[in-house]
């Protein structure tokens, strides 16, 4: 029987940070004679090369390839792919970690679905959540299943498929090169499957490397040529184009790094102008949020000054998510929230009313005189506005999205001004919230994202100003487990599933409380606010147990 999977791990001077990654490849539940691990060392000088050679000397399914230093993992991945013997290959970086059953689960699902690409659930501690893992599917669509949110190479690929279409990583490459490789794989694949119910890989921190803007432009042109070839003209192609317009061209112009530093800013702006002129016509702007429509207009008009002003004026804008209800319905936690976009000073964003149309109001510092009147129209986008609520495990980074109901509210706020707010309610069933399975023990944060006509932003759900009384419950299915709503030090809502101890449970719901164990008894020490007495006589505070009344 041939090898089922080849794991290709790029390594370059990791120190001891690669220990978890190396160990995770060695401890797979898949039998060692059914998979191989190929470590590709990019000219390391910290002793890792010798360590890997020592591992390969005692493990028959481990090989080490030594390359001269390039500073990029791209060439190493290509070399590892050329040397691989498995039916499928999986690319792993030195900071990543596989779950013990990852290879077995992914291979089983890939064979079962006859997939060219299998996207196993990924978790990370940085960036927005990957919405591609809301559900498992054996026939995924690039747009419908939001695969463009998972453009990382840590996926399972049929090796014969990659060889047939001559798919590899551009050298020297970079982040754009990685995303282009994955996008091409999606475009060529006959079948893409998503395995969402089990975590397969934990993504570590990325190795930072300088990227040449000219190389990014060249790679993006090549990628868009492939999009033209495999999708043809139409709405699907336009939406894929709009994705790259947003992520590769416009959003980099709205970062603090671009706004705060003039180094190479002019060169980057000229690159954006060239790309916009050659590949991104104005007809694509309808797929953009309104701020980026404005940025696109300024790029076409050559107004670098306005883009810098806009980046500085909007960088403090955000989202406010207020909790309006917390209650238990049996073991189901019911959460009510209102979500609204706020400006840099924390006040709600307001929109201009013109007849039956609603318009975003750009910052006052901007020159909007020569822009089209309809560029700020967000009427249709507001009608499609939505929020997403999800919980995130603080230790693993695992994310689960919650089902919810919502309604968009328009609130009149002065003459010809209006606010837009979304009211939402979710029912968090701790026994089924993890794609039909119970939430795992630990601390879970509650997050919210809003997609509206003016903004796309995410935030934590904050504690209300008034008192909220919401105790923990014992969820009975499939086994008894304690679930306790709690607050962070910053007043953000969380959920503790199966706290490790009684003391931890008390501390979660009562900030400032201490639990002391004296003489075999547990004493709960409650902080009592001092109230200055009106009279000169002493004031005594006493806490007494309520007397039990005899049963009737």
């Amino acid at each position: 029987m041939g090898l089922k999977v080849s794991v290709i791990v790029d390594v370059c001077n990791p120190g001891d940070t690669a220990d978890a990654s190396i160990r995770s490849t060695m401890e797979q539940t898949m039998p060692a004679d059914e998979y191989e691990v190929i470590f590709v060392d990019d000219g390391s000088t910290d002793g890792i090369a010798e360590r890997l050679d020592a591992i390969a000397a005692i493990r028959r399914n481990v090989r080490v390839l030594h390359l001269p230093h390039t500073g990029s993992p791209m060439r190493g991945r290509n070399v590892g792919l050329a040397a691989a013997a498995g039916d499928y290959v999986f690319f792993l970086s030195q900071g990543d970690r596989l779950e013990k059953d990852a290879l077995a689960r992914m291979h089983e699902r890939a064979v079962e679905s006859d997939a060219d690409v299998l996207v196993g659930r990924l978790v990370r501690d940085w960036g927005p959540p990957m919405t591609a893992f809301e559900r498992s599917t054996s026939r995924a669509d690039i747009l419908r299943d939001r695969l463009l949110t998972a453009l990382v190479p840590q996926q399972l690929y049929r090796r014969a498929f990659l060889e047939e279409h001559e798919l590899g990583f551009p050298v020297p490459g970079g982040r754009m090169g990685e995303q282009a490789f994955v996008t091409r794989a999606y475009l060529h694949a006959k079948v893409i499957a998503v395995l969402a119910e089990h975590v397969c890989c934990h993504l570590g921190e990325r190795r930072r490397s300088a990227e040449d803007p000219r190389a990014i432009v060249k790679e993006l042109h090549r990628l868009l040529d492939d999009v033209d070839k495999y999708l043809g003209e139409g709405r699907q192609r336009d939406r894929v184009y709009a994705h790259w317009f947003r992520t590769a061209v416009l959003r980099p112009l709205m970062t603090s790094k671009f706004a705060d530093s003039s180094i190479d800013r002019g060169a980057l702006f000229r690159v954006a102008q060239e790309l916009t002129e050659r590949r991104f016509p104005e007809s694509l702007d309808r797929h953009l949020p309104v701020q980026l429509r404005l940025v696109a207009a300024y790029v076409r008009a050559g107004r670098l000054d306005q883009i810098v002003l806009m980046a500085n004026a909007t960088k403090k804008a955000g989202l406010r998510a207020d909790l309006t209800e917390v209650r238990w319905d049996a073991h189901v936690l019911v959460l009510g929230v209102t979500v609204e976009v706020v400006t840099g000073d924390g006040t709600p964003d307001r929109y201009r009313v013109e007849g039956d149309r609603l318009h975003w109001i750009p910052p006052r510092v901007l020159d909007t005189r020569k822009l089209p009147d309809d560029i700020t129209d967000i009427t249709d986008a507001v009608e499609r506005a939505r929020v997403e609520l999800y919980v995130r495990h603080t230790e693993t980074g695992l994310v689960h999205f919650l089902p919810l109901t919502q309604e968009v509210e328009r609130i009149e706020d002065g003459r010809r001004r209006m606010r837009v707010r979304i009211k939402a309610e979710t029912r968090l069933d701790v026994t089924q919230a993890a794609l039909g399975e119970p939430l795992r023990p630990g601390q879970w944060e509650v997050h919210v994202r809003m997609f509206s006509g003016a903004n796309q932003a995410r935030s934590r759900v904050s504690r209300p100003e008034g008192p909220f009384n919401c105790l923990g419950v014992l969820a009975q299915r499939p086994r008894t487990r304690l679930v306790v709503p709690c607050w962070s030090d910053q007043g953000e809502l969380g959920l503790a599933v199966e706290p490790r101890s009684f003391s931890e449970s008390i501390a979660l719901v009562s900030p400032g409380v201490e639990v002391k164990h004296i003489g075999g008894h547990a004493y709960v020490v409650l902080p009592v606010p001092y109230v200055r007495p009106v009279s000169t006589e002493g004031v005594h505070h006493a806490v007494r147990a309520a007397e039990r009344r005899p049963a009737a």
Side-chain angles (χ1 to χ4, degrees), residues 22 34 43 76 86 153 169 203 205 277 306 335-336 364 375 411 452 471 535:
I22 296 171
E34 294 183 0
F169 294 88
L203 299 179
E205 292 186 11
E277 180 180 354
Q306 295 300 299
L335 298 176
R364 294 181 178 180
I375 199 170
I411 305 170
S452 72
L471 303 177
S535 65

Side-chain angles (χ1 to χ4, degrees), residues 212-420:
D212 183 356
R214 292 170 298 181
I216 294 176
V217 170
K218 181 179 178 181
E219 188 58 46
L220 185 56
H221 279 306
R222 291 179 54 214
L223 176 60
L224 294 177
D225 288 342
D226 287 344
V227 171
D228 291 340
K229 179 179 178 180
Y230 287 95
L231 293 182
E233 294 185 3
R235 179 175 173 79
Q236 188 178 35
R237 170 193 172 276
D238 287 351
R239 290 180 62 189
V240 173
Y241 258 63
H243 166 82
W244 291 109
F245 194 22
R246 288 194 309 269
T247 59
V249 180
L250 300 178
R251 282 182 182 164
L253 303 180
M254 295 297 290
T255 61
S256 297
K257 180 180 179 181
F258 182 83
D260 296 341
S261 175
S262 61
I263 300 175
D264 296 328
R265 188 162 61 194
L268 291 174
F269 181 69
R270 287 191 293 274
V271 167
Q273 280 186 298
E274 177 194 347
L275 282 168
T276 302
E277 180 180 354
R278 292 184 57 186
R279 304 307 299 248
F280 302 107
E282 289 187 41
S283 59
L284 294 176
D285 292 4
R286 68 180 185 273
H287 299 292
L288 302 175
V290 67
Q291 289 100 331
L292 294 187
R293 292 207 302 265
L294 199 59
V295 175
Y298 285 138
V299 170
R300 295 188 180 99
R303 297 298 303 271
L304 172 59
D305 60 322
Q306 295 300 299
I307 292 177
V308 174
L309 288 173
M310 184 173 176
N312 283 316
T314 61
K315 63 184 177 181
K316 292 184 179 180
L319 199 66
R320 187 174 70 200
D322 294 326
L323 196 61
T324 59
E325 182 180 26
V326 182
R327 62 181 173 85
W328 288 104
D329 183 359
H331 63 273
V332 176
L333 181 63
V334 180
L335 298 176
V337 296
T338 60
V339 187
E340 190 169 8
V341 175
V342 294
T343 61
D345 60 4
T347 59
D349 212 352
R350 292 167 174 81
Y351 309 99
R352 186 177 72 254
V353 180
E354 293 188 2
D356 60 348
R357 310 302 291 178
L358 205 59
H359 289 260
W360 177 61
I361 304 174
R364 294 181 178 180
V365 295
L366 299 181
D367 180 6
T368 60
R369 289 172 298 176
K370 296 183 180 181
L371 296 177
D373 293 336
D374 61 350
I375 199 170
T376 59
D377 192 326
I378 59 170
T379 309
D380 297 334
V382 165
E383 295 303 319
R384 299 191 301 268
R386 71 184 192 277
V387 296
E388 293 178 338
L389 280 167
Y390 61 93
V391 289
R392 178 184 177 277
H393 197 267
T394 57
E395 293 183 5
T396 66
L398 183 60
V399 167
H400 293 298
F401 287 85
L402 306 176
L404 56 81
T405 58
Q406 66 172 46
E407 61 175 319
V408 178
E409 287 187 324
R410 294 189 179 194
I411 305 170
E412 293 188 8
D413 190 19
R415 186 178 180 183
R416 299 179 62 188
R417 293 293 184 269
M418 187 168 290
R419 293 162 49 194
V420 175

